[in-house]
Amino acid sequence: MSLSLSQRAARTIQSEIRVMSIECEKVKGINLAQGVCDTEVPEPVREAAKRAIDGGINSYTRAEGLAPIRQAIAEKMLRFNGIQCDPETEVIVHSGSTGAFYASCLALLDPGDEVILFEPYYGYHLNTLIAAEVAPAFVILRAPDWKFSPEDLERAATPCTRGIMINSPANPSGKVFTREELQWIAAFAERHDLIVFTDEIYEYFVYEGRHISPATLPGMRERTVTISGYSKTFSITGWRVGYTICDRKWAQAIAYFHDLIYVCAPAPLQIGVAEGIAKLPESFYQKIAQDYVKKRDLLCDTLTEIGLTPSVPKGAYYVLADASILPGRDSKEKSMALLRETGVASVAGSAFYHGGDGENLIRFCFAKNDKDLEEACRRLLLLKPRAQRGVPIVAMK
Ligand code: PLP
């Protein structure tokens, strides 16, 4: 018998985003590939975490998380999302929303079940399902405004369908699902008796329309597993603090799998986040949307000027741009060509599609401090004269 990796490992592939970040590092470029969010961490969050470390809050916590953060999240869920939940039995603090989704899949899905993803999708959603031996099914969001129909949902359903994943605002499309679309999904979920997973990590990054939590739609509370976290809102992607809100029927099993894989989210960082939620005023969250809409417009205007026509996102902090004019046989070659020419890293569109689609798209992330984003745009704009002359803006290698 020869040594080998598991079949599971063979089925999962390294994230294209990480690959691009490594390439960017090699050329000391500006990384608009990864959603690393290098803006400042709010002061109350930082200070409370430091105090917690100094005050000795450094041990394992209850798997569901410390009481102050569960309480703070429950209050925020009512205030912002309109969801009433019991902090004792319906809130689980996780190691990021990534951990929240993985633990939820293990608790609620069996091998061979199917879960519907909207495409273009976030790669971790797909790979988490694959790791849990759940088969993905796809509903295509049609560019440039990422529409779908109730018939599209029905076509994706089979007798094995157990769940559907909503990500609004969405990575990578920036789609903000409308109430009507969520109502279609709700009716579909009831008809097929599905669990609705909803990843709301970008809930405060909404520029057009408004954020609606699917659990607030009539009849949805029991079947909805709401996942979110503070990586993006507080610029703490490395802290790993997220959460799940769900009916108490599911919560214990989800907490159990969280315990098994991660034991608990980092204890002092739970306190930092709790304090941030409790102390930061409404204006903090409004400012996020105000600041990011400026970043969005700067990047989208730049891309328009050089002929990489963007689909202007309504939320989140990514832009999918039409890369047809870049040289290369596929989107990987196109994003590499752009990196070579400008030192600006993007992600190949193929990372967000399971079939051959996405080859003419590349994704940029604008969660950058203003200085770096302006420098990236300055470099991209150097391609403008060529775009205006109608010659290839990036040379073939
Ligand atoms: N969900 C989506 C849609 C994301 O885009 C990301 C990060 O890019 C995450 C989840 C990761 O969140 P966390 O840091 O809470 O695990």
Side-chain angles (χ1 to χ4, degrees):
M1 200 188 99
S2 64
L3 295 174
S4 66
L5 290 172
S6 70
Q7 291 175 16
R8 186 179 301 108
R11 280 194 299 268
T12 45
I13 41 161
Q14 196 191 5
S15 154
E16 195 54 47
I17 300 169
R18 269 188 216 307
V19 174
M20 233 12 224
S21 294
I22 293 164
E23 291 298 325
C24 181
E25 185 60 39
K26 280 189 206 157
V27 299
K28 300 270 173 283
I30 302 178
N31 191 353
L32 300 194
Q34 203 169 8
V36 282
C37 202
D38 54 10
T39 46
E40 209 186 325
V41 179
E43 203 235 22
V45 177
R46 272 185 283 132
E47 291 308 318
K50 286 189 231 169
R51 272 200 311 278
I53 292 173
D54 292 342
I57 303 185
N58 299 300
S59 310
Y60 299 137
T61 72
R62 208 178 115 178
E64 292 86 344
L66 292 165
I69 186 169
R70 280 185 283 108
Q71 184 64 38
I73 290 171
E75 286 168 16
K76 169 264 178 192
M77 291 309 295
L78 189 57
R79 198 167 59 234
F80 178 73
N81 305 77
I83 299 173
Q84 184 138 32
C85 55
D86 176 0
E88 267 305 302
T89 57
E90 295 183 311
V91 178
I92 307 151
V93 179
H94 287 275
S95 300
S97 56
T98 305
F101 184 44
Y102 191 41
S104 302
C105 286
L106 293 181
L108 294 165
L109 301 168
D110 285 311
D113 285 347
E114 291 179 17
V115 168
I116 295 172
L117 295 181
F118 289 94
E119 184 177 68
Y121 48 73
Y122 169 56
Y124 273 66
H125 290 158
L126 176 71
N127 283 329
T128 302
L129 293 175
I130 292 173
E133 299 183 41
V134 170
F138 302 94
V139 167
I140 294 184
L141 298 172
R142 285 181 288 275
D145 44 10
W146 314 111
K147 293 256 164 64
F148 68 99
S149 70
E151 294 72 37
D152 294 334
L153 294 174
E154 286 302 334
R155 270 193 293 275
T158 77
C160 297
T161 310
R162 281 286 314 280
I164 182 164
M165 162 58 86
I166 305 170
N167 174 212
S168 179
N171 174 7
S173 66
K175 178 181 175 67
V176 174
F177 283 65
T178 63
R179 182 169 294 279
E180 185 188 29
E181 289 170 331
L182 294 176
Q183 280 163 345
W184 295 340
I185 297 170
F188 172 72
E190 281 195 313
R191 209 159 37 248
H192 294 270
D193 200 20
L194 307 181
I195 294 278
V196 176
F197 298 97
T198 153
D199 176 341
E200 305 183 22
I201 188 96
Y202 298 107
E203 58 196 346
Y204 292 109
F205 297 78
V206 176
Y207 319 119
E208 290 169 48
R210 58 181 293 269
H211 179 68
I212 302 168
S213 287
T216 59
L217 269 67
M220 283 299 102
R221 177 68 169 83
E222 185 189 355
R223 64 176 70 252
T224 302
V225 175
T226 303
I227 291 168
S228 192
Y230 281 87
S231 286
K232 316 290 176 172
T233 307
F234 290 169
S235 306
I236 48 168
T237 50
W239 282 26
R240 316 311 305 132
V241 181
Y243 60 84
T244 299
I245 308 297
C246 63
D247 192 281
R248 69 192 62 199
K249 279 207 284 287
W250 326 125
Q252 228 179 356
I254 294 174
Y256 170 72
F257 280 105
H258 167 67
D259 184 9
L260 193 61
I261 308 166
Y262 308 97
V263 181
C264 62
L269 308 186
Q270 292 186 40
I271 295 295
V273 171
E275 191 112 336
I277 303 173
K279 291 241 171 94
L280 287 164
E282 206 48 45
S283 56
F284 169 82
Y285 301 95
Q286 288 158 0
K287 191 162 178 321
I288 293 178
Q290 285 160 9
D291 289 349
Y292 273 76
V293 80
K294 287 190 207 133
K295 294 178 196 285
R296 174 194 77 166
D297 291 346
L298 172 65
L299 181 59
C300 286
D301 291 349
T302 303
L303 293 171
T304 304
E305 293 227 37
I306 60 170
L308 295 175
T309 308
S311 161
V312 180
K314 292 189 162 64
Y317 49 53
Y318 306 93
V319 181
L320 281 173
D322 182 346
S324 329
I325 59 165
L326 293 176
R329 279 163 304 181
D330 56 28
S331 54
K332 279 186 201 163
E333 289 189 3
K334 286 169 189 284
S335 60
M336 275 309 295
L338 189 69
L339 177 65
R340 266 198 316 274
E341 187 82 14
T342 62
V344 175
S346 57
V347 184
S350 55
F352 312 106
Y353 289 86
H354 78 288
D357 291 338
E359 296 299 2
N360 268 328
L361 295 172
I362 51 177
R363 191 200 75 175
F364 297 89
C365 168
F366 53 89
K368 290 276 138 193
N369 63 53
D370 286 341
K371 192 168 136 282
D372 287 350
L373 188 63
E374 281 161 16
E375 173 59 15
C377 289
R378 189 192 65 76
R379 291 187 187 192
L380 290 170
L381 276 176
L382 295 176
L383 304 175
K384 189 175 164 189
R386 280 185 249 168
Q388 280 172 335
R389 286 206 308 278
V391 296
I393 61 168
V394 170
M396 292 293 277
K397 200 178 168 197

